Amino acid sequence: MKLFCTLCATALLLALFPLPIEYYTFLRIFTSIGAVVVLVNEMKRDVTLTGILFIVVLIVFNPIIPIYLYKKYLWMPLDILTAALFLIQGFKEKD
């Protein structure tokens, strides 16, 4: 779990650089999968603030009905905050 959360955070931080549009599509899919994995692990325990935050991450980054903000400077804070969430979650886990 720690490795997967770290990979998600790294992918989100890479999105701060100018990359082709295909990367951002990959990022939506990868981040959504990561959010689902964290949600499944959180729901095994109980509904927590972490679970609610990752539901929001899943909604924002979902690839099926994407949310378009059109400006990179609007996505950058979301990418940084989401990367921080994944890092916190990853290092909180005892793998």
Side-chain angles (χ1 to χ4, degrees), residues 12 57 60-61 69 73-84:
L12 284 158
V57 168
V60 170
F61 284 91
L69 297 179
Y73 68 86
L74 295 173
W75 276 107
M76 291 173 95
L78 290 172
D79 291 338
I80 293 169
L81 288 172
T82 307

Side-chain angles (χ1 to χ4, degrees), residues 16-89:
L16 299 175
F17 297 102
L19 296 167
I21 192 69
E22 292 83 10
Y23 180 77
Y24 299 104
T25 303
F26 161 76
L27 183 67
R28 282 182 181 272
I29 295 167
F30 192 61
T31 304
S32 295
I33 291 169
V36 168
V37 168
V38 171
L39 276 170
V40 168
N41 283 338
E42 283 296 311
M43 293 303 165
K44 286 180 185 174
R45 291 182 215 133
D46 199 7
V47 177
T48 62
L49 177 62
T50 304
I52 294 168
L53 288 174
F54 277 96
I55 288 172
V56 172
V57 168
L58 185 59
I59 291 168
V60 170
F61 284 91
N62 82 79
I64 298 169
I65 305 171
I67 294 174
Y68 295 110
L69 297 179
Y70 298 109
K71 303 288 182 189
K72 188 165 181 78
Y73 68 86
L74 295 173
W75 276 107
M76 291 173 95
L78 290 172
D79 291 338
I80 293 169
L81 288 172
T82 307
L85 277 174
F86 274 110
L87 286 174
I88 291 168
Q89 182 65 25

